[in-house]
Amino acid sequence: MKSIATVKVGFLNDPDPAKRGVVAVRDIPIPELGDEEVKIKVAYCSICGSDPHVIGGIFGWAPPYGLGHEVSGVIVELGKVAAKGKLKVGDRVAGNFLHFCGKCYYCRNGQQQFCENIPEGNAGMAEYTVWNESQVYKLPDEISLRKGCLLEPTSIAVRIADKINMKVGKRIAINGSGPIGLLTLQVLKMYGATSLTIFEPVEERRKAALAFGADFAVDPFAEDITAKAMALTEGRGYDVVIDASGAVKAVAALPGIAAKGGMVLYAGMYPNSFEMPLNLYQYCYTNEITVTGFYVSPYTYPRALQLLPKMKLDPFIEKSFPIDQPEEAFAAQMSGKYLKILIECNPDLANK
């Protein structure tokens, strides 16, 4: 079967072609089906913001099994045990690309994200993938497969709401209005966030943020974000500041716009060698700010699934490429012209 994989790691936008990361279609065997597993004919796999970073090598690793984890598709086969559950052949599904063991210390301690036995996964940017039945969720009838591949990034927005202990009336700032920033904005708007502010240098994405319910959209290149934040929050700062940009040049200033007793959540993925200075006396001692992050999104998928029909998703699914055009797809992703790029893995499922 066809699968998209990283065949050379390097910066995608390097002017020297010899130094660029390269993706390509390769032929690999269809994964074997275990007793508890489900074989999915993949309809769409959307490109995550982390995928170009993987190709660029900034994390120091690349998955050996191929790219892609934001998947939707149709079940074509069930393992012996999986066939005894609620899933059936023909179900339209999406799900969690990680299979937590449920047996280790962390899984039994309510911390699945630290599971000690997560197996190596199968690629999502492929014609077929195989997941454990525990990873798979049947899509609501009103959610197309094109939208269904956004279940995984929507689960991230739900995890962010969990992590910040969201309450009605909290003042919220989000740095970056890419897919995660805009999905999180929608979720927190439902929660009753106030002074909901997006910091984003790209005008089209600021407009998108306002259309999705932001109260304010600020260009951090044109305005001083600290002065603007204080003007918008009566001089107190935001109860929660979320970085959804992953931009290392943008993150150091964020503790300075958090309110006393507030939280700064670094929700992007950053180079594994990146270190950021932090004035512990000013922020953690005097102002009691909590600085934290998170890793993946356990315990969120059932709730994210319920939210999908309530989310504005059309702007995220405007552009797609067939699986045979990976270089063009990733070039479009890197251009910033689109909120999301989708890979069409099986064209016969395009309208399901």
Side-chain angles (χ1 to χ4, degrees):
M1 70 171 184
K2 296 177 181 177
S3 176
I4 295 176
T6 301
V7 295
K8 187 177 75 170
V9 173
F11 293 105
L12 279 178
N13 57 353
D14 197 297
D16 182 353
K19 297 180 180 179
R20 291 178 195 158
V22 176
V23 291
V25 174
R26 64 177 184 178
D27 289 323
I28 63 172
I30 296 176
E32 294 184 7
L33 185 69
D35 288 348
E36 298 182 356
E37 293 181 323
V38 174
K39 183 183 293 183
I40 301 169
K41 184 177 182 179
V42 180
Y44 295 97
C45 184
S46 55
I47 297 178
C48 173
S50 67
D51 289 327
H53 293 325
V54 169
I55 300 164
I58 69 171
F59 304 136
W61 52 266
Y65 53 84
L67 292 167
H69 55 271
E70 300 179 1
V71 170
S72 67
V74 174
I75 293 176
V76 293
E77 190 177 352
L78 296 165
K80 294 178 182 179
V81 176
K84 297 178 181 179
K86 294 182 179 180
L87 297 170
K88 63 182 185 299
V89 171
D91 281 347
R92 300 159 53 259
V93 298
N96 183 354
F97 67 102
L98 294 173
H99 175 212
F100 304 119
C101 75
K103 302 174 184 178
C104 71
Y105 169 84
Y106 292 108
C107 282
R108 298 176 69 177
N109 196 46
Q111 297 173 294
Q112 280 184 334
Q113 66 270 31
F114 304 130
C115 176
E116 297 173 315
N117 302 305
I118 295 177
E120 188 176 286
N122 294 315
M125 292 179 189
E127 292 176 304
Y128 294 88
T129 194
V130 170
W131 285 355
N132 186 278
E133 63 175 329
S134 64
Q135 300 170 249
V136 180
Y137 295 85
K138 185 177 177 180
L139 289 170
D141 291 341
E142 63 268 39
I143 294 296
S144 67
L145 288 171
R146 198 172 179 94
K147 290 182 179 179
C149 66
L150 299 179
L151 177 61
E152 194 279 337
T154 299
S155 79
I156 297 294
V158 175
R159 178 77 201 281
I160 288 172
D162 289 351
K163 186 74 178 185
I164 67 175
N165 190 26
M166 184 59 192
K167 296 178 181 178
V168 171
K170 278 191 173 183
R171 290 172 165 148
I172 304 289
I174 300 173
N175 185 55
S177 60
I180 296 302
L182 292 176
L183 291 170
T184 300
L185 185 156
Q186 293 185 56
V187 170
L188 299 186
K189 187 74 174 181
M190 295 179 195
Y191 261 107
T194 59
S195 300
L196 187 50
T197 305
I198 283 280
F199 293 101
E200 168 59 52
V202 179
E203 182 179 5
E204 292 79 7
R205 296 197 173 190
R206 292 198 301 274
K207 291 179 179 177
L210 292 170
F212 286 141
D215 296 310
F216 309 102
V218 179
D219 181 353
F221 290 174
E223 299 190 65
D224 180 271
I225 69 165
T226 303
K228 189 65 176 181
M230 295 306 156
L232 295 174
T233 60
E234 300 176 310
R236 292 186 174 90
Y238 296 95
D239 299 304
V240 179
V241 180
I242 301 163
D243 179 60
S245 73
V248 296
K249 294 181 179 179
V251 297
L254 300 184
I257 64 173
K260 293 182 178 179
M263 175 184 288
V264 181
L265 176 65
Y266 289 102
M269 290 183 70
Y270 311 93
N272 60 4
S273 60
F274 172 65
E275 296 182 4
M276 185 190 80
L278 181 69
N279 188 313
L280 294 177
Y281 178 87
Q282 179 181 356
Y283 296 124
C284 297
Y285 176 68
T286 304
N287 289 353
E288 294 189 17
I289 290 172
T290 298
V291 178
T292 187
F294 72 92
Y295 179 59
V296 301
S297 49
Y299 314 109
T300 60
Y301 281 84
R303 289 174 291 144
L305 191 67
Q306 294 179 73
L307 282 183
L308 276 186
K310 302 179 183 296
M311 304 285 282
K312 298 176 181 177
L313 300 176
D314 287 342
F316 298 89
I317 60 172
E318 292 178 341
K319 189 66 174 176
S320 59
F321 288 83
I323 194 170
D324 291 317
Q325 297 179 10
E327 292 186 12
E328 294 88 341
F330 276 88
Q333 173 78 16
M334 295 295 290
S335 75
K337 294 180 180 178
Y338 308 97
L339 287 179
K340 269 283 188 188
I341 297 296
L342 276 56
I343 302 295
E344 302 169 2
C345 297
N346 281 284
D348 59 309
L349 296 179
N351 296 316
K352 299 285 180 81

